[in-house]
Amino acid sequence: MIITHTALPKREGLWNIHIEDGKFAKIEEAKAVEGAIDVKGKLVSAPFIEPHVHLDTTLTAGEPKWNESGTLFEGIATWAERKKSLTIEDVKQRATKALRWQIAQGIQHVRTHVDVCDPSLTAMKALLEVKEEMKDYVDIQLVAFPQEGYLSYPNGNGTELVEEALKMGADVVGGIPHFEFTREYGVESMKIAFDLAEKYDRLVDIHCDEIDDEQSRFIEVVALEAYKRGLGNKVTASHTTAMHSYNGAYVSKLMKLLGLSNINFVANPLVNTHLQGRFDDYPKRRGITRVKELKEAGLNVCFGHDDIFDPWYPLGTGNMLQVLHMGIHVTHLMGYHQIVDAFDFITDNSAITLDIQDRYGIEVGKPANFIILNATNRYDAIRKQAEVLASYRNGKKLAETKPKETSVYLNEAIEIDFER
């Protein structure tokens, strides 16, 4: 298989891509090749990555009720009610439907947090099955996530449930220190999480400081544990929305530790800006972490959905360009080069977070996983919210989209050219 006249994200000019046995075999300057697929200058990229989503809760908005306050904590309470009616088939049906949406929009790698605060571990069992059933179409990492805490879950059984999920096959250790009853519980819970990660040789991804409280400073605990244990970029801090409210002096001190730790960060622009600032009068905080400052400090940052149509977020279709569009607005990353570089937030940077760099990217010898976008460069892809015209996995087509055609009738029919 040969694809000709492709634009590549970080290369000038146009290129031909040769694929053999499901892998990239050669990349050369563009030229006409009989029988090849000519994309005529369209952007060909490694697939989009979803670094943070909750597939166990997806497609449950309004069940058993809508989250009218729009707060994180009403969402947690609403989910606790919905969780009582979970079945394996219920979770599988909803998660698979959401994954199909994501695959159709160019996503081929997903990290999903799975609530394990359930003695039967229904959601984990279901998503382990989904992971196996969908492995030919999408790579899924499962996070053992104690939604109600390690120590604050009734009888302190959160720890046992996380460990059982790891034994079952969960890929990542989760946590939620700011939701524990006390700071002391929160600190202890992080030591438990890191101990489990070392015991089972797993990655770490913590829901960290997802609150507007400027006194919530578990990010320093996570970073210190990662630094002391030498885990570095095997560790991710998700959300860190309290950092939005930290004073400058503390952030200056914090940045040194973050640099030493070399941990990853995931911001979730759609949900972070929806849930945060709910207790403010005016001005209302945006409640998204300091993406620009973290990036400028050389730390790895990526963007995720967090939720798709569930008790925490009543919208969403699984479109990563929608996430990116919101993210660059609310973090003031709107300079031309900032926009272009932001494409990494949903591609290369997320690959680092998921620790899949060895098999991700358009490079000779790597699996031929890629998408073709209805754009000629990264800037146009973001500006136009370009369709994913096709998604390929191991050189075989997974999905295809045909762009809409629009005509505007003024004095005469004029076809709108969005390519300009």
Side-chain angles (χ1 to χ4, degrees):
M1 179 181 182
I2 303 173
I3 304 175
T4 64
H5 302 99
T6 71
L8 296 175
K10 297 179 182 179
R11 297 194 188 201
E12 296 294 328
L14 298 179
W15 302 85
N16 286 4
I17 301 172
H18 296 248
I19 297 168
E20 296 178 7
D21 299 323
K23 294 185 177 182
F24 294 116
K26 182 168 65 172
I27 300 172
E28 62 180 357
E29 291 188 8
K31 60 183 178 182
V33 178
E34 186 175 351
I37 299 171
D38 189 346
V39 299
K40 300 178 180 178
K42 297 296 187 188
L43 179 65
V44 174
S45 167
F48 292 142
I49 297 174
E50 172 59 84
H52 187 119
V53 72
H54 293 258
L55 290 178
D56 55 337
T57 69
T58 192
L59 308 184
T60 60
E63 302 174 8
K65 67 184 184 67
W66 292 93
N67 180 350
E68 297 292 352
S69 70
T71 62
L72 170 70
F73 297 112
E74 184 176 348
I76 293 174
T78 302
W79 173 244
E81 287 298 310
R82 176 60 173 81
K83 192 163 54 174
K84 294 175 183 177
S85 63
L86 285 189
T87 66
I88 288 177
E89 285 308 311
D90 165 45
V91 176
K92 288 183 65 175
Q93 185 273 328
R94 290 183 290 98
T96 300
K97 185 175 182 178
L99 283 167
R100 288 178 178 273
W101 292 357
Q102 293 178 307
I103 290 167
Q105 297 181 94
I107 296 172
Q108 291 189 30
H109 304 274
V110 172
R111 175 180 286 180
T112 178
H113 295 254
V114 186
D115 184 3
V116 297
C117 285
D118 163 21
S120 65
L121 292 171
T122 300
M124 182 58 68
K125 292 173 183 175
L127 283 164
L128 282 165
E129 291 186 18
V130 171
K131 176 181 178 177
E132 177 63 22
E133 292 168 5
M134 298 291 286
K135 67 182 181 181
D136 291 338
Y137 315 108
V138 60
D139 295 326
I140 302 174
Q141 288 185 359
L142 304 178
V143 183
F145 172 52
Q147 176 74 75
E148 298 174 54
Y150 280 90
L151 303 170
S152 302
Y153 184 65
N155 302 315
N157 288 339
T159 301
E160 294 176 10
L161 291 168
V162 171
E163 185 162 16
E164 181 59 29
L166 295 172
K167 291 176 181 178
M168 291 167 61
D171 308 282
V172 187
V173 180
I176 187 167
H178 58 281
F179 191 72
E180 300 281 0
F181 288 150
T182 65
R183 175 168 175 81
E184 290 73 21
Y185 268 19
V187 172
E188 186 179 350
S189 76
M190 289 300 90
K191 294 185 184 299
I192 293 170
F194 277 83
D195 285 346
L196 288 172
E198 291 187 322
K199 179 178 179 179
Y200 292 96
D201 190 24
R202 299 291 201 271
L203 302 173
V204 178
D205 192 334
I206 304 298
H207 279 60
C208 189
D209 301 317
E210 188 186 2
I211 192 170
D212 291 325
D213 179 10
E214 68 278 3
Q215 296 302 313
S216 184
R217 297 182 175 184
F218 291 103
I219 181 58
E220 64 184 17
V221 179
V222 172
L224 183 58
E225 289 296 330
Y227 174 60
K228 288 193 304 183
R229 299 174 191 240
L231 294 178
N233 63 10
K234 306 294 184 184
V235 176
T236 298
S238 289
H239 296 293
T240 61
T241 57
M243 195 185 297
H244 184 96
S245 302
Y246 294 161
N247 65 73
Y250 175 66
V251 171
S252 178
K253 171 192 171 186
L254 177 64
M255 282 296 184
K256 179 181 178 180
L257 174 58
L258 297 181
L260 290 170
S261 72
N262 196 35
I263 63 175
N264 306 296
F265 289 82
V266 178
N268 299 289
L270 296 172
V271 177
N272 291 159
T273 53
H274 161 57
L275 293 178
Q276 307 312 130
R278 288 289 179 167
F279 298 98
D280 292 354
D281 187 3
Y282 284 94
K284 292 183 183 292
R285 287 169 286 183
R286 294 177 176 182
I288 190 167
T289 197
R290 301 188 182 209
V291 172
K292 182 189 293 187
E293 291 79 3
L294 291 168
K295 182 177 181 293
E296 290 174 349
L299 290 154
N300 186 56
V301 185
C302 50
F303 285 169
H305 266 94
D306 195 13
D307 300 285
I308 301 174
F309 195 69
D310 70 6
W312 293 274
Y313 188 64
L315 302 174
T317 64
N319 186 336
M320 292 307 300
L321 285 174
Q322 185 181 64
V323 172
L324 184 57
H325 189 260
M326 170 68 86
I328 60 177
H329 278 83
V330 297
T331 58
H332 285 167
L333 290 171
M334 293 292 283
Y336 175 80
H337 293 292
Q338 291 173 326
I339 294 171
V340 171
D341 291 345
F343 197 78
D344 287 349
F345 290 157
I346 57 174
T347 53
D348 294 354
N349 291 11
S350 291
I352 294 171
T353 295
L354 269 61
D355 197 31
I356 58 172
Q357 309 96 301
D358 61 334
R359 58 187 186 277
Y360 180 84
I362 301 178
E363 298 176 22
V364 172
K366 290 186 176 181
N369 303 333
F370 61 95
I371 57 178
I372 303 171
L373 289 146
N374 191 20
T376 57
N377 54 55
R378 289 171 288 172
Y379 175 81
D380 275 349
I382 297 168
R383 182 182 69 84
K384 298 191 302 180
Q385 298 287 277
E387 303 98 336
V388 175
L389 298 177
S391 178
Y392 286 80
R393 186 170 174 86
N394 298 318
K396 297 180 179 180
K397 188 179 289 186
L398 273 183
E400 183 176 27
T401 297
K402 294 182 179 179
K404 297 176 182 178
E405 293 182 2
T406 302
S407 296
V408 175
Y409 296 92
L410 298 176
N411 295 329
E412 57 184 289
I414 302 173
E415 184 174 341
I416 298 299
D417 180 6
F418 287 110
E419 295 296 323
R420 295 182 180 177

